[in-house]
Amino acid sequence: MTSPVITTREKRRQASWTQDPEGVRRNILEVARAEFVENGLSGARVDDIAAKTATSKRMIYYYFGDKEGLYRAVLETMYEGIRSFERSLDLGSLPPVEAMARLAEATFDYHVENPDFVRMVMVENVHHARNLKASRTIAGLNSSVVEVTRGIYERGVAAGLFQPGLEPLDISLTISALSIYNVSHRATVGQVFGYDMCEPEALARRRSMTVAAVLGMLRR
């Protein structure tokens, strides 16, 4: 029996995997993210992902187990991205009102600049958060933003600047909702009202309104 012919492309893929396995993993995640954003979990195909990477379908299964495992890894990477960004803001050094305004502004900007994150969250809602539930890391990642919000809020209450009795999770969800909407509903709002929420002047207005709404909810 003759040995199978190994193509030049396959040789490059094998060399890439042995020389830079983490680089290969990142490449898979980047390609998979684009496919899941465009086609959802159900519509994305591992064959299509493999064809656009520097590796093979077999290695995708080696790294991630199956398509759902790959999808969860993409979700985890994206949630780690936003939580890492929030931790980098150093809000503890700012006065409470300024810190909360900065958190709202930064969250708003992050979602506008990372629309793929919003679209992945929308895809996961279609699947009733099944893959979020299966993740071993996302719940722990997401608790950090509530603690950041809690710290700012409690400092504001102690200083007599914020009204007491509010839940930090509700504050965080309000900031998130106001930030996500501009990306998640851009197409439908544009079609219904002829209004592009991501046009620069519209973004500037909505960003200011987001901060005003959050601080208005909090102030005594």
Side-chain angles (χ1 to χ4, degrees), residues 174 178 207-218:
T174 298
L178 292 169
R207 187 178 190 264
S208 296
M209 292 170 69
T210 295
V211 175
V214 172
L215 294 182
M217 176 180 70
L218 295 176

Side-chain angles (χ1 to χ4, degrees), residues 46-90:
V46 175
D47 284 333
D48 293 337
I49 294 169
K52 297 175 183 178
T53 67
T55 186
S56 64
K57 184 177 178 179
R58 179 176 64 85
M59 291 310 302
I60 291 175
Y61 287 130
Y62 172 82
Y63 277 108
F64 302 103
D66 53 22
K67 184 169 78 168
E68 286 71 21
L70 175 57
Y71 174 83
R72 281 195 303 274
V74 171
L75 272 179
E76 289 166 355
T77 299
M78 297 183 87
Y79 272 103
E80 171 57 34
I82 189 170
R83 301 290 91 97
S84 176
F85 169 76
E86 289 160 350
R87 290 192 298 269
S88 74
L89 296 174
D90 191 25

Side-chain angles (χ1 to χ4, degrees), residues 100-164:
M100 194 66 77
R102 175 64 184 135
L103 178 61
E105 290 171 344
T107 303
F108 185 96
D109 293 343
Y110 187 91
H111 286 82
V112 170
E113 293 164 6
N114 295 273
D116 283 1
F117 173 71
V118 176
R119 294 185 184 114
M120 282 292 288
V121 171
M122 293 167 67
V123 169
E124 185 59 9
N125 272 285
V126 169
H127 293 279
H128 305 287
R130 182 178 72 232
N131 291 280
L132 283 178
K133 293 174 187 174
S135 172
R136 298 179 180 180
T137 63
I138 290 178
L141 288 173
N142 288 338
S143 64
S144 65
V145 67
V146 181
E147 294 310 308
V148 168
T149 306
R150 184 189 307 278
I152 300 169
Y153 172 65
E154 289 180 349
R155 288 196 291 121
V157 171
L161 300 170
F162 296 157
Q163 60 175 309

Side-chain angles (χ1 to χ4, degrees), residues 35-53:
E35 290 294 312
F36 289 132
V37 165
E38 181 66 24
N39 300 301
L41 173 57
S42 301
R45 298 177 67 248
V46 175
D47 284 333
D48 293 337
I49 294 169
K52 297 175 183 178
T53 67

Side-chain angles (χ1 to χ4, degrees), residues 15-28:
S16 178
W17 174 71
T18 56
Q19 294 169 10
D20 184 16
E22 281 308 305
V24 169
R25 188 177 188 277
R26 287 194 301 271
N27 174 242
I28 294 170

